[in-house]
Amino acid sequence: MNKTVAAALAGVLSVTAALAGCSSGSGDKAGNPGTAATPPADTKSATKGLPDKFDPPVKLSTASFNYGVPKFVQGDDVNNNPWSRYLKDTAGIEVNTIWDGPRKELEQKLNLMMSSGDVPDFFLATPEQFAQLNKAGLLEDMTQVYNQYATDTIRQVMKDAGPEPMQAATVGGKLMGIPFTGVAKESVPVVWIREDWMKALGLSGPKTMADLLAISEAFTTKDPDGNGKNDTYGLAIDKDIGLINGFLNGFHAYKGIWIKDKDGKLAYSSIQPEMKTALAKLQDMYKAGQIDKEFGVKDATKVNESFGSNKLGIYYGSLTAGFAPLSTQTPKVRWLPFPAPSIDAAPAKLQYGLNIFSGFWVVKKGVKNPEAVLKMADIWLQLFYLNTKDDVYGKYNDSNGISHWTNAPVKIYKPFKNAEISVHLEPLLKSSAKADEATLAKLTPEERGEYAKILEYRAGTGDSWKEGSRSDSWGAGPIINNIYLKEDRFMPDQFITVPTPTMVQKKANLDKMELEMMTKIVLGGPLDAFDTFVKDWKRLGGDDMTKEVNDWYA
């Protein structure tokens, strides 16, 4: 890369600190993504020309982050491990990892590489880096590469993630990176409720928001733990008001995202009138003692401790919340999941951000065989998700506390991996007979383990209820699969690019104002503080942000 481009990138990187924390990305020369290049709607598309093994071998450099867990057996290292050996011997791909460290340090390291004009052949770019690299003309156009070489398995992953990740990776009609798809969509909240408290008070699960509010009141006033003290609460809330998105969504209110208004334009969700209605109800609940009086000083970790001290009975969390924090805090107490209820006849739609994990896999412009990145992504899916053999799992996923999977150079996450487990186990769990060996052999090792744990719990020979909380008939997996997915109960953030100029300058202050307003209202402040906030938000930069967002959207 010549000095002119390096100098240009150095200037662009000066805004990196201000952009840190953005969870979406991409951009053309104005930072704007376009429509996804040939969206992978048809997972049966023919795959052309991707070889079983490259000959001669493809040699690529990269830089990566580690997950902070043991990843090597004695004698192995970042360039000599089961994954590097498999890729070399089986696929003809030799990856040279020039740097491996914590995620935040990787971001900083790549920024320095970009400034000096020396970037690896492929790597995981943050949304901000993706926009910067694209603006500098340093990225390989992956449009035809994807269209020709993406396997059916990869296309299905992209389809399941929703259209937004591919749209965010597409610039001016060109696919400039491969999204590192995440699990944000399957992780939208269900509402978890303590089963023992419900039984003690003779309560049924909620079907409406009115039902849930009645349960919250009963948990507060009717001594569900039977200790004779007025020391229990209904709804779990943290000081950042981040644990109750599902509750707000039940009022058709959405916190901190951009949604379509009645005219088809984008509007900031937190200033809509539905938010005021939801905050008014939270204020009522606080006054009635249904919310911890000290919630304003408790982060999510402190709230988790309140579960462990048996103070809280209702929690909005993901489908895996039974694993953590619930079973870790209350191992002997079973929590039951329910679909997030709505305040009216319209189902609650659950909000989520751009469905990516950290960023986009990018290839340096001019690299030969960019399709090798797709080859590595497909191998990842085959070994990590689709493998059914225990020995392969131990070698490439996890064994004896060694997380081998973290050494895979390219990863994309199946967006509904956790929810799919319940789909695969459902016919087995419905049967009165235990599955035979041939049937079990078709499951993944994780699914076999989960099936065994659920049977043990059902038979009373095991006390781990967390596996059932995800995958049994009463678990959260069927809620995601049979209700949320079938009824499209999702509300994705529609702003999927890097922050606008006004956001860089003013969003942090506006977010602080928003949290202060919400907290004060819940604590009993005047409701018209919401109207004042809306006016101030618009005046102090919100109107400018809205214009910039809609200019991008148009």
Side-chain angles (χ1 to χ4, degrees):
M1 185 169 62
N2 62 40
K3 293 181 180 180
T4 303
V5 174
L9 264 177
V12 172
L13 286 167
S14 65
V15 300
T16 296
L19 296 176
C22 174
S23 63
S24 59
S26 115
D28 57 16
K29 292 184 179 180
N32 303 331
T35 330
T38 314
D42 179 10
T43 59
K44 296 182 180 180
S45 299
T47 300
K48 306 173 184 176
L50 195 60
D52 290 335
K53 183 176 182 179
F54 288 97
D55 186 19
V58 173
K59 298 182 179 182
L60 299 170
S61 62
T62 192
S64 66
F65 69 82
N66 58 51
Y67 287 74
V69 294
K71 55 189 292 186
F72 303 120
V73 299
Q74 186 173 1
D76 280 2
D77 57 40
V78 71
N79 285 312
N80 181 28
N81 56 71
W83 278 88
S84 67
R85 292 190 288 268
Y86 184 93
L87 290 173
K88 180 179 179 180
D89 297 341
T90 306
I93 302 174
E94 299 179 21
V95 176
N96 176 34
T97 301
I98 58 179
W99 192 89
D100 178 71
R103 187 187 310 181
K104 192 63 181 177
E105 292 183 19
L106 171 64
E107 183 178 344
Q108 296 167 349
K109 180 70 173 177
L110 287 171
N111 286 341
L112 291 173
M113 291 180 180
M114 290 161 62
S115 297
S116 66
D118 184 16
V119 296
D121 294 328
F122 77 93
F123 55 95
L124 181 65
T126 67
E128 293 75 26
Q129 291 170 338
F130 176 73
Q132 295 157 7
L133 289 161
N134 180 70
K135 189 174 183 178
L138 294 176
L139 298 184
E140 183 71 18
D141 179 355
M142 298 293 285
T143 309
Q144 293 305 317
V145 176
Y146 185 91
N147 289 342
Q148 181 172 353
Y149 295 108
T151 63
D152 292 350
T153 308
I154 291 174
R155 292 171 187 270
Q156 186 65 53
V157 167
M158 296 300 162
K159 178 183 178 183
D160 291 344
E164 294 84 13
M166 284 289 279
Q167 289 172 354
T170 302
V171 184
K174 297 179 180 179
L175 184 66
M176 303 307 296
I178 306 299
F180 187 163
T181 45
V183 294
K185 193 170 183 179
E186 77 160 7
S187 299
V188 296
V190 298
V191 59
W192 296 85
I193 306 178
R194 282 185 67 133
E195 183 185 40
D196 58 337
W197 287 10
M198 292 177 68
K199 284 184 175 180
L201 301 179
L203 300 173
S204 300
K207 295 182 179 179
T208 66
M209 182 61 74
D211 294 339
L212 184 67
L213 295 173
I215 293 171
S216 179
E217 181 181 14
F219 281 2
T220 304
T221 63
K222 296 186 178 180
D223 192 24
D225 58 358
N227 68 354
K229 299 179 181 179
N230 183 24
D231 61 352
T232 53
Y233 305 99
L235 184 64
I237 305 182
D238 64 314
K239 68 181 181 67
D240 298 314
I241 311 187
L243 294 179
I244 59 165
N245 281 348
F247 181 85
L248 298 174
N249 298 165
F251 287 79
H252 312 302
Y254 308 96
K255 181 174 178 286
I257 67 173
W258 292 84
I259 59 177
K260 291 181 182 179
D261 64 17
K262 61 181 180 356
D263 297 321
K265 294 184 177 181
L266 296 191
Y268 186 58
S269 63
S270 295
I271 65 171
Q272 306 308 310
E274 291 82 2
M275 182 62 74
K276 184 177 182 180
T277 303
L279 291 174
K281 179 52 64 177
L282 287 168
Q283 184 182 84
D284 292 343
M285 296 172 71
Y286 182 84
K287 289 178 180 177
Q290 297 176 34
I291 292 173
D292 187 347
K293 296 294 183 185
E294 299 180 353
F295 89 89
V297 296
K298 291 185 176 181
D299 59 16
T301 301
K302 288 294 183 182
V303 173
N304 291 346
E305 293 173 2
S306 296
F307 298 140
S309 58
N310 298 301
K311 301 297 183 186
L312 288 164
I314 301 172
Y315 172 67
Y316 279 88
S318 75
L319 80 163
T320 59
F323 283 76
L326 299 179
S327 68
T328 57
Q329 294 293 328
T330 57
K332 303 299 182 183
V333 175
R334 191 164 76 164
W335 294 66
L336 300 181
F338 300 92
S342 170
I343 195 64
D344 55 27
K349 286 184 175 284
L350 292 310
Q351 71 177 81
Y352 66 96
L354 183 60
N355 198 7
I356 61 171
F357 183 85
S358 295
F360 305 89
W361 296 104
V362 296
V363 178
K364 182 171 66 175
K365 189 170 186 177
V367 165
K368 293 182 179 180
N369 300 113
E371 69 274 14
V373 170
L374 292 175
K375 179 70 174 180
M376 288 187 282
D378 188 69
I379 290 173
W380 157 262
L381 292 173
Q382 300 299 329
L383 292 185
F384 186 73
Y385 287 114
L386 303 180
N387 160 64
T388 60
K389 300 183 182 302
D390 290 327
D391 59 338
V392 173
Y393 182 90
K395 188 172 184 179
Y396 298 105
N397 286 15
D398 187 270
S399 64
N400 300 317
I402 304 297
S403 298
H404 302 290
W405 63 272
T406 61
N407 291 306
V410 177
K411 309 172 188 71
I412 55 176
Y413 290 159
K414 287 186 70 175
F416 289 95
K417 172 260 181 183
N418 291 290
E420 284 176 0
I421 294 176
S422 65
V423 175
H424 300 158
L425 296 187
E426 181 180 11
L428 282 64
L429 294 171
K430 281 184 175 180
S431 173
S432 58
K434 186 176 180 180
D436 58 28
E437 290 301 317
T439 301
L440 291 175
K442 298 177 182 178
L443 301 176
T444 68
E446 181 181 11
E447 289 168 344
R448 283 195 290 272
E450 192 138 314
Y451 175 68
K453 286 285 188 181
I454 291 173
L455 291 189
E456 289 175 2
Y457 184 75
R458 285 181 170 186
T461 57
D463 60 2
S464 178
W465 56 270
K466 62 187 180 183
E467 290 81 11
S469 75
R470 175 169 67 177
S471 300
D472 207 344
S473 58
W474 59 271
I479 293 175
I480 301 297
N481 293 313
N482 301 330
I483 299 176
Y484 286 5
L485 269 170
K486 288 184 179 179
E487 298 179 6
D488 188 26
R489 292 200 186 181
F490 300 99
M491 180 62 72
D493 190 348
Q494 296 296 308
F495 185 70
I496 55 172
T497 185
V498 292
T500 69
T502 303
M503 287 180 183
V504 172
Q505 296 176 359
K506 300 182 178 180
K507 187 175 183 297
N509 186 54
L510 294 177
D511 288 348
K512 181 180 178 182
M513 287 170 48
E514 179 178 322
L515 179 59
E516 289 174 350
M517 174 274 296
M518 298 178 78
T519 304
K520 288 178 181 177
I521 288 179
V522 175
L523 293 174
L527 273 176
D528 61 11
F530 176 82
D531 304 305
T532 301
F533 161 74
V534 171
K535 292 178 182 177
D536 290 343
W537 183 89
K538 291 181 176 182
R539 177 175 55 86
L540 296 175
D543 279 345
D544 292 334
M545 285 197 308
T546 302
K547 182 182 183 306
E548 292 169 349
V549 165
N550 278 285
D551 287 345
W552 161 81
Y553 191 61

